[in-house]
């Protein structure tokens, strides 16, 4: 999937919009496809341009950006929307998050923070593109940023020391590997290695891929998914 990001700005202050455009387009893979100064213009451009990312102000001449965001979500538009605004009251932040804003920047902000916003958007798109049409709980938890707990009791038949060895072998692998390959590296049968790998998938520490293109059933391949650092 391309890393190119098409951005729509909805900002009534033309000077601020110009500064934000310049900051965004320091990244050669970011292109501001349009700029709107009102809710009506923003809604029309969002439909016409189909941007990847929308940067939305709250206080606009013909209404609230929060109302526009609510309208988009009610209409089924799932485009990533980030609020960039001087509105720093908790009620605005809570409303934005409740209506599906994926980020919220309070003016003034740094160019680095804006770049981090774009990087987070890219990561979300890549994770979404790599996911199967249906997701399991571990994949959904990773998407939501939920850190799996590792302190609970392990299921019956899962030895913690063997689990550590399998997890380390998977982390050391340069690419997705099969249960048979992990078994060879750790000294386990393919079935036993598969059982531990499936546990790591359920715990959110591994990702399951399917390799197609050969006759018969698709091969199951596993790759390491590092846990996000604790706050």
């Amino acid at each position: 999937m391309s890393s190119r990001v098409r951005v729509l700005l909805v900002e009534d202050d033309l000077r601020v919009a110009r500064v934000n455009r310049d900051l965004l387009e320091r990244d050669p893979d970011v292109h501001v496809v349009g700029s709107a100064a009102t809710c009506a213009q923003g809604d029309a451009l969002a439909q016409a341009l189909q941007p990847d990312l929308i940067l939305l102000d709250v206080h606009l001449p013909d209404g609230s950006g929060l109302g526009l965001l609510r309208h988009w979500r009610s209409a089924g538009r799932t485009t990533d929307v980030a609020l960039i605004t001087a509105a720093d009251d908790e009620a605005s932040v809570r409303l934005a998050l409740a209506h599906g804003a994926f980020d919220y920047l309070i003016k003034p902000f740094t160019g680095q923070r804006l770049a981090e916003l774009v990087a987070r958007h890219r990561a979300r798109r890549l994770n979404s593109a790599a996911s199967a049409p249906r997701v399991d709980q571990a994949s959904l938890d990773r998407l939501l940023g939920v850190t799996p707990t590792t302190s609970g009791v392990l299921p019956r038949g899962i030895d913690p020391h063997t689990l550590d060895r399998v997890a380390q072998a998977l982390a050391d692998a340069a690419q997705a590997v099969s249960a048979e390959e992990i078994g060879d590296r750790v000294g386990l049968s393919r079935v036993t290695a598969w059982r531990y790998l499936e546990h790591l998938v359920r715990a959110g520490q591994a990702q399951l891929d399917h390799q197609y293109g050969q006759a018969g059933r698709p091969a199951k391949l596993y790759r390491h998914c590092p846990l996000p650092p604790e706050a």
Side-chain angles (χ1 to χ4, degrees), residues 42-57:
D43 191 26
L45 287 180
Q47 295 184 51
L49 300 175
Q50 297 294 313
D52 303 310
L53 173 64
I54 301 174
L55 303 185
L56 177 64
D57 196 3

Side-chain angles (χ1 to χ4, degrees), residues 65-84:
L66 294 173
L68 182 56
L69 174 59
R70 181 170 61 248
H71 163 70
W72 283 335
R73 295 309 187 226
S74 297
R77 181 175 295 280
T78 59
T79 309
D80 271 354
V81 177
L83 276 293
I84 295 186

Side-chain angles (χ1 to χ4, degrees), residues 11-67:
E11 166 64 63
D12 66 323
D13 188 321
L14 297 182
R15 182 187 61 82
V16 172
R18 185 164 53 250
V19 169
N20 289 347
R21 176 192 290 268
D22 290 343
L23 287 173
L24 287 163
E25 293 188 339
R26 288 178 181 177
D27 183 335
D29 286 328
V30 175
H31 177 49
V32 176
V33 294
S35 184
T38 66
C39 290
Q41 290 175 359
D43 191 26
L45 287 180
Q47 295 184 51
L49 300 175
Q50 297 294 313
D52 303 310
L53 173 64
I54 301 174
L55 303 185
L56 177 64
D57 196 3
V58 170
H59 302 300
L60 294 166
D62 59 343
S64 168
L66 294 173

Side-chain angles (χ1 to χ4, degrees), residues 5 52-53 80 102 116-125:
V5 180
D52 303 310
L53 173 64
D80 271 354
F102 96 99
E116 290 171 357
L117 183 156
V118 174
R120 289 185 59 231
H121 162 75
R122 273 201 185 98
R124 285 161 58 92
R125 285 175 60 202

